[in-house]
């Protein structure tokens, strides 16, 4: 059975957001250890930006997946 296009968009954004979340969390934890590279809290700011962008991407992908799935249904199927 083939997945709908909405499921494909949701799964793709879920995968990309989880990779961004892992990378951002790793950089955030690294920013506490590597104090020589983190003089102006640059790593902390970048890691929090990556985590925030991942969460926004997941929310947008979820919205687009739901919108696409709802759009391709007929008017009688929405009830």
């Amino acid at each position: 059975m083939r997945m709908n296009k909405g499921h494909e968009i949701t799964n793709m954004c879920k995968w990309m957001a989880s990779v961004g979340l892992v990378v951002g969390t790793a950089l955030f934890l690294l920013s506490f250890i590597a104090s020589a590279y983190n003089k102006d809290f640059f790593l902390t700011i970048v890691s929090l930006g990556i985590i925030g962008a991942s969460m926004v991407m997941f929310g947008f992908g979820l919205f687009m997946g739901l919108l696409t799935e709802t759009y391709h249904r007929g008017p009688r199927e929405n009830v």
Side-chain angles (χ1 to χ4, degrees):
M1 178 179 207
R2 181 163 154 56
M3 290 189 341
N4 293 344
K5 200 158 188 83
H7 290 293
E8 292 175 0
I9 293 172
T10 304
N11 285 336
M12 179 191 62
C13 287
K14 189 187 325 181
W15 182 79
M16 289 172 57
S18 63
V19 168
L21 190 64
V22 168
V23 169
T25 304
L27 279 177
F28 186 72
L29 294 175
L30 181 69
S31 70
F32 290 121
I33 298 168
S35 61
Y37 296 114
N38 201 19
K39 290 181 181 177
D40 296 329
F41 299 105
F42 182 72
L43 273 178
T44 307
I45 294 170
V46 168
S47 65
L48 291 176
I50 291 173
I51 291 171
S54 301
M55 292 190 310
V56 168
M57 185 185 336
F58 176 72
F60 183 71
L62 184 66
F63 173 73
M64 290 303 292
L66 290 174
L67 188 67
T68 304
E69 189 174 330
T70 308
Y71 178 73
H72 287 298
R73 290 184 180 177
R76 295 181 189 159
E77 295 179 26
N78 288 334
V79 177

